[in-house]
Amino acid sequence: MITLDTLPQGPRATSSLSFRAVPLAHPGKQLRVLDAVDTSGGPTNSGQFELDLASCGWPRLKPDRLEIVQINLGKLCNMTCRHCHVDAGPDRVDENMDRTTVEACLRAIDSSGARVVDLTGGAPELNPNFEFLVEECVQRGLRVLDRCNLTILLTRPYSHLPEWFAERGVEVVCSLPHYRKIGTDAQRGDGTYHKSIQALKRLNQAGYGQGDPHRKLVLVANPVGAFLSGNQSSLEAEWKTALARNHNVRFDQLLTLNNLPMSRYLEWLMETNQVKLYLNRLLQAFNPSTIAGLMCRNTLSISWDGYLYDCDFNQQLEMTMDIPRPHVTDFDLGIWQDHAIRTARHCYGCTAGAGSSCGGAIA
Ligand code: SF4
Ligand code: SF4
């Protein structure tokens, strides 16, 4: 059984909102904070995402084709990063997907036609059903992505995973805020950078990051501050050069994400009095050419307890899919195809600049 005591310890940037039982731990409070912001910088000056979409010819945001099933295995994590939109942490031991729900997810995947399974958390590897789920997906010939925080690969129960992943062709998508120590440790806790580099070396030794499509190593970077992501392709070149030169570490691809104003990142914006500044920055950078590629149009998001969402952000805000029975046991592809995607002000994070999704920049 997983307990707080058996988890790897280390310096942490913060603690979970849930652990501190602060009002912002409630999604409704987060949505109200955003709704209260005076916005005047957007395309329609409305501050209403739906109206801004409509003004660009999208009166309703509808799905395109279901390609990805993203499963959030739970909120349990060995870290407590400052920017975490899941409010994950070592204290979140109760929110972990059980075997029955995992099996329901597999049935939904089978009926969905999706060819990509994207595993996230928390630290998804901490779920006792993680390896079972990966094996099942690999046997089905699906492309499997593990969203990995890197440090988990250095802890004893999970240190076999680089080779285990390599044998199964699992794509490892690793979060690393910056290729420099200072930015990474500020957001994720002291010592995180050093551990992350060690984990990347372990993945390189297992064959990852060398251009082999069956051992693909992807890094994910998000801004350390209240600004938008930089240009993904130029940053990728910069990161590849810096990590090779400084640590002899290789990787295949860099994805850049915007921080969405919610959960612990929203708390940081509030503490630093930057909520209005950041939200208006997102509005001013609204880019209509990102809309067609929004990840909610090709992704089904499933929570640890089996509820269905349009994306992992809506999941954390408890905005279930707008259908009669939004649960994995009732998943129906036809209903998914016809439903309207739920949006709110946090969505401006996905349409700002080059756009942002779990697959990186959009436009
Ligand atoms: S950002 Fe990732 S690694 Fe950090 S606390 Fe959240 S889930 Fe864990
Ligand atoms: S937050 Fe989710 S629902 Fe909103 S635009 Fe982004 S992917 Fe779509």
Side-chain angles (χ1 to χ4, degrees), residues 179 193 197 201 204 237-251:
Y179 64 79
Y193 181 78
I197 296 296
K201 289 186 175 183
N204 282 173
E238 182 184 332
W239 278 56
K240 281 187 170 171
T241 302
L243 285 173
R245 182 186 61 222
N246 298 340
H247 302 288
N248 198 25
V249 160
R250 322 248 161 220
F251 66 97

Side-chain angles (χ1 to χ4, degrees), residues 49 260 294-296 310-311 313-314 341-343 346-347 350:
F49 191 72
L260 263 64
L294 289 170
M295 64 179 171
C296 45
D310 293 312
C311 70
F313 301 115
N314 282 10
I341 294 166
R342 290 182 73 183
T343 58
H346 64 289
C347 296
C350 297

